[in-house]
Amino acid sequence: MKNIISANQFKKEDLEKIITRAKVMEKECKSGKIKKLLKDKIVACIFFEPSTRTRLSFETAAFKLGAQVISAENAMENSSAYKGETIEDTTKILCSYADVVVIRHPKAGTLEAAAKVAIKPLINAGDGANEHPTQGLLDLYTIKKEHKRLTNLNIGFGGDLLNSRTLKSLVPLLRQYSGNKFYFLSPKELELPREFIRELKNNGVLFEESRSLEEKLPELDVLYMTRVQKERFPDEDSYNKVKDLFIFRKKHLKNMKKDAIIMHPLPKINEIEIEVDSDPRAAYFRQAQNGLYVRMALLCYALEL
Ligand code: NCD
């Protein structure tokens, strides 16, 4: 049994295995011949924060592999958390019903706490502004598929880097591959936490920070835009001040390489102009679809199947 709690837990050989497995899943899905590797298994999906893609792709992945799903969405209100049950108690109960448990929670570190009492594999579907490892893995799969390589890439992250848990899972994965350089593009208010930056520096990771979304566009192979995470702001006013500072517009496309891709974990609000969607370099809907194949692979990984 294997938990999936943090992107930092993966060695390069794990990543290669997961990517290969996801490729097989994609092929099986497209041919309509899917091996029911999770027959008689129960997958629990408990989401204490809203989700469209993560929860529904996990549930679809489970069904495709022949598993059954039990799920609580809006679990802050619709589960015993509302009555004050601890995550540890909830986790113990879920482990007594299901074979694998997928949890999203607004508080950073919740999955680590839950893992201490879990007797079934746990999957982190996002814990506050901390991490979102399955998103990081599907992002990695997408970059591999689109660029045919994971090395020697210039990857720009734009928007709310302070609160982006998807960035915090994707960067540790990409830095395992040689020649990658990161560009962190954000207004001052939304810059990456200094301790994250310090850690990169101390480990010799190549990166630049910039206060401009435009300046570095011609150098990028990947532009990864992020939503300003409204739910992490103390009040509406502080959110309103920064929400429209970084918008990727149609006019920016001409400054980008012909084979660059634009990614986004979605949902996008207005940080990417809608006209960008029809450009072939807009990869975010393909990225979301890849989530299904990667999560199929990850359910198998967690159950060591
Ligand atoms: C992300 C999340 O929830 O962290 N979405 C997702 O899982 N695809 C990013 C976001 O909500 O902005």
Side-chain angles (χ1 to χ4, degrees), residues 58-195:
F58 260 118
E59 295 191 3
T60 307
F63 285 127
K64 293 241 181 213
L65 290 165
Q68 315 259 35
V69 174
I70 55 171
S71 100
E73 49 159 342
N74 196 6
M76 231 22 137
E77 284 173 24
N78 292 341
S79 79
S80 284
Y82 185 73
K83 303 177 187 168
E85 185 169 63
T86 63
I87 191 68
E88 286 85 356
D89 283 3
T90 304
T91 303
K92 280 184 199 166
I93 300 306
L94 294 172
C95 290
S96 70
Y97 300 155
D99 298 286
V100 48
V101 179
V102 184
I103 301 179
R104 168 172 284 189
H105 201 280
K107 189 164 165 247
T110 296
L111 269 285
E112 259 170 61
K116 293 206 173 102
V117 299
I119 56 164
K120 300 285 172 60
L122 288 190
I123 300 181
N124 182 358
D127 63 325
N130 183 38
E131 275 218 48
H132 193 348
T134 71
Q135 179 74 41
L137 291 162
L138 80 87
D139 294 340
L140 195 75
Y141 182 74
T142 300
I143 296 171
K144 177 76 194 272
K145 209 167 132 185
E146 300 273 336
H147 275 299
K148 313 279 177 264
R149 69 179 198 276
L150 287 167
T151 54
N152 302 312
L153 293 164
N154 288 339
I155 306 114
F157 288 88
D160 181 1
L161 312 189
L162 172 66
N163 296 302
S164 172
R165 56 189 175 197
T166 66
L167 175 158
K168 288 172 200 123
S169 287
L170 180 54
V171 169
L173 300 178
L174 281 170
R175 63 188 256 198
Q176 296 207 36
Y177 296 85
S178 63
N180 290 333
K181 179 169 178 186
F182 303 103
Y183 295 80
F184 300 122
L185 319 171
S186 76
K188 169 89 181 137
E189 299 89 322
L190 300 176
E191 70 180 15
L192 271 164
R194 293 302 90 187
E195 77 236 41

Side-chain angles (χ1 to χ4, degrees), residues 53-54 104 132 135 165-166 227 229 231 265-267:
R53 275 147 291 269
T54 306
R104 168 172 284 189
H132 193 348
Q135 179 74 41
R165 56 189 175 197
T166 66
R227 174 178 69 92
Q229 308 269 304
E231 63 276 33
L266 302 179

